Amino acid sequence: KQWYQRRVAITAGGESPECTPCAMGFFNPIRRQRKCLQCPVKHWTRSTGSIHPTDCIGPIMTMCDGTNMTGNCTTYYDVELSVPFTAQSLEVKAGKFKVCSGKKMYLKCEMISYPFRVDDVTDDVTRQLSFSPLSLESDIDDSFCYENRGEEFAPTRFYNATINGHGCKNWMDTQHPEAGDNTYCANPDPKQKNEPWCYTHDPAVEWEYCSVPKCVWDFECYTGTGFEYRGTLARTEQGYTCQNWQSDWPHPHSYHRGNGAGDHNYGRNPGNNERAPWCFTTNLFKRWDYVNPGRCSRDKFPFYKE
């Protein structure tokens, strides 16, 4: 547990309190409250010392029992195995969600991502969603984090200040107007910069990196079914060596490229039809087996790197 610890410093005038700010992933909404509150699962904060629940960044979806987002509405952040009412409208406000027509993630399921809104599920002429969800599970997308050097990171309202708190300039007033008419962190210069950044308003600091975290799927753990796992584990749970995805020996297959498969033998879930990353093996008598990089957990990793 993380605590908002009150340390006492002895001064000439007596005792004065000195507080330690909450760690990343926690917030303290009440002044002088000693205990930090934890953000919802799969949510994080972009800095230490957060003081409000809205500082928690992660998936958000609201469902209502009336059309046009009216009536009894509930906001979800993680998992709900039994929605308490029949949803007539819903909106994904951040991240992505797997929604299912049955309770406990059973029956027909679909993946919906921000931006997504249906004002009348039962009369949706565009058929964005053909059923009213009764269970759901949240996940993240790359609007919260960056891959490689962040050159494809879409500027988002979650990150509009640098790592040291400097406000970002509008890109239209800089040397990189191609980044758009906004003040959000981005990386329009990946040859020179390693991650998302921005120009600042401080004359002494021309530009600075932001606190955008790197996506978790670049590391040795996986979320969901491991469809986005991009680690380097090449040995299965039962000890078999993985077969190169571009090879058809000893096991012919159709997963040669795409969705993480390629010229390597690392575990993947390219068809997204297994429960975890897997691979074909080099053993003639064992066609395939799961690899086990381990699930990402808040204890060792939130859902992306700090």
Side-chain angles (χ1 to χ4, degrees):
K1 293 182 178 179
Q2 299 288 326
W3 293 85
Y4 199 93
Q5 300 172 338
R6 184 175 181 268
R7 298 182 300 179
V8 177
I10 306 298
T11 65
E15 296 186 352
S16 61
E18 180 185 349
C19 295
T20 301
C22 294
M24 293 181 70
F26 294 80
F27 64 96
N28 183 1
I30 302 175
R31 177 178 290 185
R32 302 183 74 85
Q33 176 175 286
R34 297 184 65 188
K35 184 177 180 180
C36 291
L37 304 179
Q38 189 173 16
C39 291
V41 174
K42 299 181 183 176
H43 287 63
W44 202 235
T45 57
R46 61 186 176 189
S47 66
T48 60
S50 296
I51 61 173
H52 196 274
T54 56
D55 293 332
C56 298
I57 300 170
I60 305 172
M61 179 170 69
T62 299
M63 298 171 59
C64 302
D65 61 5
T67 60
N68 299 307
M69 305 303 294
T70 60
N72 178 35
C73 298
T74 303
T75 298
Y76 298 99
Y77 304 93
D78 184 24
V79 177
E80 176 56 61
L81 298 180
S82 180
V83 175
F85 53 77
T86 300
Q88 296 294 308
S89 56
L90 61 89
E91 180 179 10
V92 179
K93 298 180 178 179
K96 58 185 178 181
F97 286 80
K98 180 181 180 181
V99 295
C100 300
S101 60
K103 297 180 179 180
K104 299 182 179 180
M105 308 304 292
Y106 288 153
L107 302 179
K108 184 177 181 180
C109 298
E110 290 188 19
M111 187 69 75
I112 54 178
S113 301
Y114 170 84
F116 184 95
R117 174 168 172 157
V118 177
D119 287 325
D120 189 348
V121 175
T122 59
D123 188 30
D124 179 21
V125 294
T126 62
R127 308 313 295 168
Q128 296 183 79
L129 191 63
S130 59
F131 57 84
S132 295
L134 288 179
S135 57
L136 57 94
E137 180 179 9
S138 68
D139 206 344
I140 61 169
D141 58 24
D142 58 9
S143 65
F144 302 116
C145 55
Y146 74 92
E147 296 181 278
N148 301 317
R149 287 174 171 256
E151 60 268 31
E152 296 181 354
F153 174 70
T156 170
R157 62 183 175 83
F158 295 122
Y159 303 104
N160 58 5
T162 71
I163 194 168
N164 288 315
H166 296 293
C168 293
K169 280 186 177 180
N170 192 305
W171 289 102
M172 300 300 291
D173 300 327
T174 71
Q175 301 173 34
H176 294 283
E178 69 275 12
D181 185 11
N182 62 75
T183 59
Y184 307 145
C185 300
N187 190 6
D189 188 17
K191 291 184 178 180
Q192 301 295 325
K193 308 294 195 301
N194 296 323
E195 58 188 81
W197 59 281
C198 72
Y199 291 103
T200 83
H201 292 285
D202 188 340
V205 182
E206 180 184 11
W207 69 273
E208 194 170 43
Y209 286 119
C210 300
S211 57
V212 181
K214 194 162 188 177
C215 295
V216 72
W217 43 82
D218 287 343
F219 298 86
E220 290 299 338
C221 62
Y222 75 96
T223 59
T225 61
F227 177 66
E228 293 167 329
Y229 170 70
R230 297 296 183 267
T232 57
L233 189 61
R235 185 170 292 274
T236 74
E237 289 181 330
Q238 299 182 46
Y240 296 103
T241 300
C242 290
Q243 173 182 310
N244 190 298
W245 290 99
Q246 290 191 355
S247 173
D248 282 317
W249 175 258
H251 304 290
H253 63 93
S254 59
Y255 295 111
H256 298 103
R257 288 186 178 277
N259 294 328
D263 188 15
H264 60 78
N265 69 334
Y266 307 139
R268 295 290 185 263
N269 190 4
N272 200 24
N273 48 19
E274 300 295 340
R275 62 175 172 79
W278 60 278
C279 68
F280 297 103
T281 83
T282 56
N283 188 300
L284 184 63
F285 303 101
K286 181 68 173 178
R287 180 168 172 78
W288 71 277
D289 189 19
Y290 289 110
V291 301
N292 186 22
R295 285 191 169 274
C296 301
S297 68
R298 179 172 287 279
D299 292 338
K300 68 175 183 177
F301 217 81
F303 60 82
Y304 48 45
K305 190 176 182 181
E306 296 180 30

